[in-house]
């Protein structure tokens, strides 16, 4: 019989997946803290006797990581190293009956909209008055700001609407309150996230209101950078470009997952666009904000992607020269529209295509970085590792983009502060520089 641990109640929240999950975990931690609970995020000693795992269920590898993490803590429970294991998030929302059957040692599973119920089993009350209150887990100078939940897009490959529900925008006034509270805590950079920034406002304001939101957020004292993540290309509100151009606080940066360029593949993906429309949109971006850094993500190995179609995709990447790019192998997801298609590209071929795209992007990134040598950029510094400080320009988002590296044996910079850095050398994905 399993023995109960002798630890005092300590709740360890473990987060998997994207920045939207990070945000949800922060809200959970804020609620627990307001209830007087001893709650931590990914405790480095892993000694919480109560574990809450916030899972990802987006694609195959993410689901595998989530399942492995659940099994890890279920085994710790069996050995008496933890008392209670709860699972929440996207995987739990999507596969709750299967998980309950396959991993019964978990005490309870919760979906993406079950926060009040999760708090109840943690003996905490859901406090509705905590607008904008959360316990941030990112470095003290930047934070994610989730401006909407869910998605109304019909993309054939994506299971997010199954897990997150319909698009629901957060009112501008609530987001301004949250941004103000973050600024009061020392946050200087806001990273706006949603499954689809482009759709923001349509449900509550009956118009695309991302530009209106930005105009209010730039007024928040203490916020210096506002970065846009996860815009959908179809119906992109071009007035956002005017705000980006005219408001110095809005970074000249846009994360816009385009997924593919072949018109037939885009049609099958149900993206609502074409080769021509996509290229025109990118041309409009660069005409309106010439120094904008554009990040995109691509899916390779989608059903029907022949060698000829893949060659078209590669040539487009070469011609377009994205500042930042990530590529992923297509994952066949049940209950999505694309699940009705034949997954006809072998896994080995998918992975080879990912490698080919990233090799092309590596060369593009190297060439673009060489052009930065000798220039001076305002950078914010996130961390120190060993003998180096690591920072970012306004054209770089945390964890996914270039680092600006400063030799700590020769120079000192303050973490969380803006510093002017002259670039002295550059590689594929790093810039080296010194303070000026």
């Amino acid at each position: 019989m399993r023995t109960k641990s002798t630890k005092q109640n300590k709740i360890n929240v473990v987060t998997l997946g994207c920045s939207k999950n990070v945000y949800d975990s922060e809200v959970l931690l804020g609620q627990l803290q307001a209830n007087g609970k001893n709650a931590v995020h990914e405790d480095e000693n892993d000694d919480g006797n109560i574990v809450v795992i916030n899972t990802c269920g987006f694609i195959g590898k993410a689901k595998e990581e989530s399942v492995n993490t659940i099994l890890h803590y279920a085994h710790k429970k069996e050995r008496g190293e933890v008392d209670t294991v709860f699972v929440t998030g996207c995987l739990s929302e999507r596969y709750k009956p299967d998980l309950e059957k396959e991993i019964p040692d978990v005490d309870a599973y919760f979906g993406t909209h079950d926060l009040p119920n999760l708090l109840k089993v943690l003996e905490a009350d859901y406090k509705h008055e905590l607008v904008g209150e959360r316990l941030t887990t990112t470095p003290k100078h930047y934070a994610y700001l989730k401006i909407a939940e869910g998605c109304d897009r019909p993309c054939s490959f994506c299971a997010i609407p199954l897990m997150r529900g319909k698009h629901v925008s957060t009112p501008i006034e609530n987001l301004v309150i949250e941004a103000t509270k973050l600024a009061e805590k020392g946050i200087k950079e806001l990273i706006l996230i949603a499954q689809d920034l482009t759709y923001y406002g349509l449900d509550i304001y009956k118009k695309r209101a991302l530009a209106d939101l930005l105009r209010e957020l730039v007024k928040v004292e203490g916020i210096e950078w506002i970065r846009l993540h996860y815009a959908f290309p179809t119906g992109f509100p071009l007035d956002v470009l005017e705000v980006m151009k005219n408001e110095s606080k809005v970074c000249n940066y846009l994360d816009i997952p385009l997924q593919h360029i072949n018109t037939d593949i885009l049609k099958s993906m149900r993206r609502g666009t074409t080769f021509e429309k996509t290229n025109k949109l990118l041309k409009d971006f660069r005409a309106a904000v010439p120094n904008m850094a554009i990040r995109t993500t691509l899916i390779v190995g989608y059903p029907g992607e022949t060698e000829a179609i893949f060659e078209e995709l590669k040539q487009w990447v070469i011609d377009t020269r994205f500042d930042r790019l990530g590529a992923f192998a297509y994952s066949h997801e049940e209950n999505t529209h694309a699940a009705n298609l034949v997954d006809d590209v072998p896994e080995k071929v998918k992975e080879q295509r990912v490698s080919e795209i990233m090799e092309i992007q590596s060369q593009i990134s190297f060439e673009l970085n060489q052009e930065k040598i000798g220039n001076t950029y305002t950078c914010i510094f996130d961390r120190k590792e060993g003998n180096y400080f690591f920072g970012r320009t306004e054209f770089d988002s945390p964890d996914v983009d270039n680092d600006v590296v400063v030799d700590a044996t020769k120079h000192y910079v303050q973490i969380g502060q803006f510093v002017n850095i002259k670039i002295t050398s550059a590689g594929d994905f790093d810039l080296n520089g010194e303070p000026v």
Side-chain angles (χ1 to χ4, degrees):
M1 183 176 175
R2 188 180 72 83
T3 57
K4 187 174 175 68
S5 78
T6 58
K7 301 172 184 175
Q8 291 186 329
N9 279 350
K10 180 180 181 181
I11 303 166
N12 183 22
V13 178
V14 177
T15 306
L16 302 164
C18 68
S19 54
K20 293 179 283 295
N21 267 18
V22 171
Y23 182 95
D24 292 344
S25 290
E26 292 176 346
V27 172
L28 169 61
L29 287 162
Q31 288 279 344
L32 291 170
Q33 188 179 62
N35 277 272
K37 299 293 182 180
N38 181 11
V40 296
H41 188 251
E42 298 183 352
D43 180 19
E44 60 182 26
N45 298 317
D46 203 18
D47 64 357
N49 66 315
I50 302 170
V51 179
V52 179
I53 307 166
N54 189 0
T55 58
C56 178
F58 183 45
I59 57 175
K61 289 182 179 179
K63 289 188 286 187
E64 182 180 350
E65 182 186 19
S66 291
V67 169
N68 288 340
T69 303
I70 297 169
L71 289 170
H72 169 75
Y73 283 103
H75 293 153
K76 285 174 76 75
K77 181 185 173 186
E78 285 179 9
R79 297 192 298 268
E81 296 172 19
V82 300
D83 296 325
T84 313
V85 178
F86 297 118
V87 174
T88 186
C90 290
L91 189 81
S92 186
E93 174 74 30
R94 190 176 179 192
Y95 298 108
K96 183 178 178 180
D98 296 331
L99 290 167
E100 288 174 333
K101 180 180 177 181
E102 298 296 328
I103 316 179
D105 282 346
V106 169
D107 292 86
Y109 290 91
F110 299 89
T112 53
H113 301 286
D114 284 344
L115 178 58
N117 294 328
L118 174 56
L119 288 167
K120 188 174 181 180
V121 301
L122 293 168
E123 299 179 348
D125 296 322
Y126 180 71
K127 297 184 180 296
H128 293 273
E129 67 273 17
L130 294 180
V131 175
E133 292 287 351
R134 67 186 213 259
L135 188 65
T136 53
T137 61
T138 48
K140 294 180 179 179
H141 52 279
Y142 73 80
Y144 296 106
L145 185 65
K146 187 162 72 170
I147 69 170
E149 181 58 276
C151 186
D152 285 358
R153 302 293 186 178
C155 302
S156 66
F157 53 83
C158 185
I160 291 294
L162 300 174
M163 298 180 283
R164 291 279 180 175
K166 290 286 192 179
H167 179 100
V168 180
S169 301
T170 300
I172 289 175
E173 56 269 27
N174 289 5
L175 293 169
V176 170
I177 290 170
E178 187 169 350
T180 302
K181 290 180 178 179
L182 289 169
E184 289 170 352
K185 293 179 181 178
I187 296 294
K188 297 180 175 67
E189 177 182 7
L190 294 178
I191 303 172
L192 270 55
I193 57 172
Q195 197 58 39
D196 177 11
L197 292 183
T198 307
Y199 208 85
Y200 177 78
L202 273 173
D203 52 332
I204 54 177
Y205 302 120
K206 309 308 174 190
K207 67 169 187 172
R208 300 181 190 274
L210 181 57
D212 295 338
L213 171 61
L214 291 172
R215 291 186 188 100
E216 294 305 313
L217 290 176
V218 297
K219 298 175 186 176
V220 177
E221 188 173 345
I223 298 300
E224 299 298 330
W225 280 0
I226 301 171
R227 188 178 302 281
L228 303 180
H229 269 228
Y230 318 130
F232 193 89
T234 306
F236 185 89
L238 295 177
D239 54 349
V240 168
L241 302 178
E242 284 301 308
V243 180
M244 186 180 288
K245 181 179 178 181
N246 296 323
E247 295 287 353
S248 60
K249 287 187 177 184
V250 180
C251 294
N252 292 333
Y253 178 99
L254 182 66
D255 187 326
I256 183 162
L258 296 172
Q259 311 302 10
H260 215 280
I261 193 55
N262 176 268
T263 295
D264 290 338
I265 294 289
L266 290 170
K267 182 177 180 181
S268 180
M269 286 181 167
R270 306 172 87 187
R271 296 286 287 174
T273 189
T274 63
F275 178 101
E276 291 77 16
K277 288 179 181 178
T278 300
N279 282 334
K280 182 182 184 306
L281 183 65
L282 293 171
K283 186 177 179 181
D284 289 343
F285 286 168
R286 286 170 166 163
V289 188
N291 63 337
M292 180 199 295
I294 302 174
R295 159 169 275 281
T296 197
T297 50
L298 302 176
I299 294 172
V300 299
Y302 182 86
E305 186 188 70
T306 63
E307 274 299 331
I309 289 174
F310 179 63
E311 288 299 321
E312 178 187 357
L313 180 65
K314 284 201 300 183
Q315 188 59 51
W316 177 68
V317 171
I318 292 168
D319 294 341
T320 307
R321 294 176 69 80
F322 289 99
D323 300 270
R324 316 281 181 254
L325 182 147
F328 301 91
Y330 168 76
S331 177
H332 213 46
E333 297 295 317
E334 60 267 41
N335 298 321
T336 62
H337 187 77
N340 299 315
L341 305 175
V342 178
D343 189 9
D344 58 357
V345 181
E347 291 301 316
K348 189 174 180 180
V349 174
K350 291 178 186 176
E351 294 299 335
Q352 176 60 32
R353 290 179 181 179
V354 168
S355 297
E356 288 184 45
I357 291 290
M358 293 313 299
E359 183 63 32
I360 292 169
Q361 182 59 30
S362 178
Q363 181 62 33
I364 292 169
S365 182
F366 177 80
E367 292 168 2
L368 293 176
N369 283 348
Q370 296 309 300
E371 297 172 5
K372 296 179 172 66
I373 296 173
N375 294 345
T376 297
Y377 298 94
T378 299
C379 302
I380 195 163
F381 280 81
D382 295 331
R383 67 193 189 281
K384 181 176 183 286
E385 293 178 7
N387 292 326
Y388 297 95
F389 294 103
F390 291 86
R392 294 173 289 111
T393 71
E394 72 168 292
F395 309 110
D396 301 293
S397 202
D399 300 325
V400 294
D401 292 330
N402 285 356
D403 284 317
V404 176
V405 184
V406 170
D407 188 339
T409 65
K410 298 178 181 177
H411 307 282
Y412 174 77
V413 293
Q414 193 171 345
I415 302 300
Q417 298 298 318
F418 291 99
V419 184
N420 288 328
I421 301 293
K422 183 177 181 179
I423 305 304
T424 55
S425 64
D428 294 0
F429 299 108
D430 284 333
L431 301 168
N432 302 299
E434 53 192 31
V436 295

